[in-house]
Amino acid sequence: MPRLPTPLTLPAGDARGDGQQKHGQDQDQDRDRAEHAAGAGERGDPGRRRRSPLRRGETATAWAFITPAVLIILGLSVIPVAWSVLLSFQASDLVTPSRWVGLDNYRALSQDPNFSQAVRNTLLYTVLYVPLSIGIGLALALVLNRRIRLVGLYRTLIFVPFVVSATAQGVLFSFILDPEFGAANSVLNTLGISPQGFLTDPGQALLVLVAISLWSGTGFCVVVYLAALQDVQPSLIEAARLDGAGRWQLLRHVTLPAMTPVSVFLLVWQTINALQVFDLVYVTTKGGPLGSTTVIVYFIWEQAFKNFTAGYGAAAAYVLAVALGLVTVGLRLVRGREQRRSARPVRLEGAGK
């Protein structure tokens, strides 16, 4: 019968050392489990976390920084908007107690010839100003995007009028276009042209306001288009030139499509500014002559603070707000449709053959 192998045993000291090591590992694991359980309990119990003095101090500090901004937003936007909405359904002069009239203010607006004239003037101003400012801005940006002498000076001179406030522009052009003592009629007289009424002529006043707005507002479009032209990929232009494209083809098929988002932004921005024009009208013509320059915002101001029919003016303001919202939503839908159309894969002729 064969002998069984002698079993291997460790010395007593090594066995004791291994036992201590294992005991230490067990203690470390127990400590890790306890810390993990404590962290899980802290995450699961938000009230327990808030009871920490350090976290309470951090929360108080955060609210100390946020509270001024929250109060400003509530005091200057949310509360006035809610109050003006209620005001549009009331008859109020801002002095005596108001009276609830429901939709009477809106019905009166639909029958008010002065409001209809203000809407027509605003639409005419917008239709003239927005396309001209964008078109002239694009043309000047294309010219100033070249390497020409003193190009930095030209860009600055074009942008400076945009920095000037509308009030300062109105005062300046009121002196220049004065029918009796203005510099404009002096120049026309030297050229043998009869003096013009400019801001005092009902047939010219609104067109003159559009010209003044173009003098100041075109600079913004120039700067935005210049920045957009810098982002057009040179590889696309080089590829089009290698294919034999001329300047017009480059502009039509490469440059303008690449700047479509910028053009949409300018269209929205300039439209909103045109529908909200007020300062220039207030300083120069005050809605005259014969209401030919009365725009919607000036009509709102006149009703609320001149005729003391604040509820009626608030109703007109919300008609304008709805119009601005519709314009913005419409342009966003058009832009989204164009983006989906451009994202579709282009099918080459004969690809399926």
Side-chain angles (χ1 to χ4, degrees):
M1 182 176 181
R3 294 181 57 187
L4 295 175
T6 305
L8 297 176
T9 59
L10 294 176
D14 293 341
R16 187 167 51 253
D18 289 344
Q20 292 176 355
Q21 182 178 4
K22 183 177 181 181
H23 181 67
Q25 291 177 354
D26 293 339
Q27 287 182 342
D28 293 338
Q29 291 177 358
D30 293 338
R31 190 183 304 111
D32 292 340
R33 283 195 294 268
E35 291 176 356
H36 180 72
E42 186 174 320
R43 288 192 299 270
D45 185 9
R48 195 171 172 186
R49 184 170 62 246
R50 285 196 295 268
R51 284 194 294 270
S52 173
L54 179 60
R55 293 189 179 275
R56 283 202 303 267
E58 292 177 352
T59 303
T61 304
W63 275 108
F65 282 105
I66 294 174
T67 299
V70 172
L71 293 178
I72 291 174
I73 293 173
L74 291 176
L76 298 181
S77 60
V78 177
I79 295 177
V81 167
W83 178 73
S84 60
V85 169
L86 295 176
L87 186 64
S88 67
F89 297 101
Q90 300 174 4
S92 174
D93 58 1
L94 299 179
V95 178
T96 59
S98 59
R99 178 172 52 88
W100 185 267
V101 295
L103 297 175
D104 289 351
N105 287 329
Y106 293 95
R107 296 191 188 97
L109 282 175
S110 63
Q111 302 173 1
D112 190 347
N114 294 326
F115 180 71
S116 301
Q117 184 182 20
V119 171
R120 288 194 300 269
N121 292 337
T122 305
L123 292 177
L124 179 59
Y125 177 89
T126 303
V127 169
L128 293 175
Y129 170 70
V130 174
L132 288 175
S133 64
I134 294 177
I136 297 174
L138 176 61
L140 292 175
L142 291 173
V143 173
L144 296 177
N145 194 44
R146 301 178 181 180
R147 295 181 179 179
I148 57 179
R149 188 178 180 183
L150 301 177
V151 65
L153 176 62
Y154 301 147
R155 293 175 179 177
T156 303
L157 292 177
I158 290 176
F159 185 70
V160 163
F162 176 74
V163 182
V164 180
S165 66
T167 303
Q169 297 171 28
V171 173
L172 173 64
F173 280 97
S174 295
F175 284 106
I176 295 175
L177 302 177
D178 187 89
E180 296 182 2
F181 309 104
N185 275 329
S186 297
V187 174
L188 293 179
N189 188 26
T190 304
L191 298 176
I193 302 175
S194 60
Q196 303 295 316
F198 295 117
L199 297 174
T200 60
D201 187 351
Q204 298 179 3
L206 188 62
L207 300 178
V208 172
L209 292 181
V210 172
I212 297 173
S213 300
L214 288 174
W215 175 77
S216 61
T218 303
F220 177 75
C221 297
V222 172
V223 171
V224 173
Y225 271 130
L226 279 173
L229 287 171
Q230 303 298 323
D231 290 336
V232 178
Q233 297 181 6
S235 59
L236 296 177
I237 298 177
E238 292 297 330
R241 285 176 178 172
L242 291 176
D243 289 338
R247 290 184 178 180
W248 171 248
Q249 285 78 13
L250 283 174
L251 177 64
R252 180 181 178 184
H253 299 288
V254 178
T255 304
L256 291 181
M259 296 192 303
T260 299
V262 175
S263 299
V264 174
F265 161 74
L266 286 176
L267 182 61
V268 175
W269 182 267
Q270 296 293 80
T271 301
I272 292 175
N273 287 335
L275 293 176
Q276 292 180 335
V277 61
F278 170 76
D279 298 354
L280 188 61
V281 175
Y282 180 80
V283 175
T284 55
T285 63
K286 297 190 182 302
L290 302 176
S292 60
T293 60
T294 300
V295 292
I296 294 180
V297 178
Y298 185 83
F299 176 85
I300 294 170
W301 174 86
E302 191 175 38
Q303 296 300 321
F305 302 106
K306 189 175 180 180
N307 299 336
F308 294 101
T309 53
Y312 193 60
Y318 276 95
V319 171
L320 175 61
V322 171
L324 290 174
L326 292 176
V327 169
T328 305
V329 171
L331 291 176
R332 287 182 65 87
L333 292 176
V334 171
R335 181 182 177 183
R337 186 175 61 183
E338 293 295 331
Q339 290 178 345
R340 290 192 298 269
R341 182 181 302 175
S342 61
R344 293 176 183 174
V346 179
R347 183 175 181 180
L348 300 176
E349 295 183 0
K353 297 180 181 180

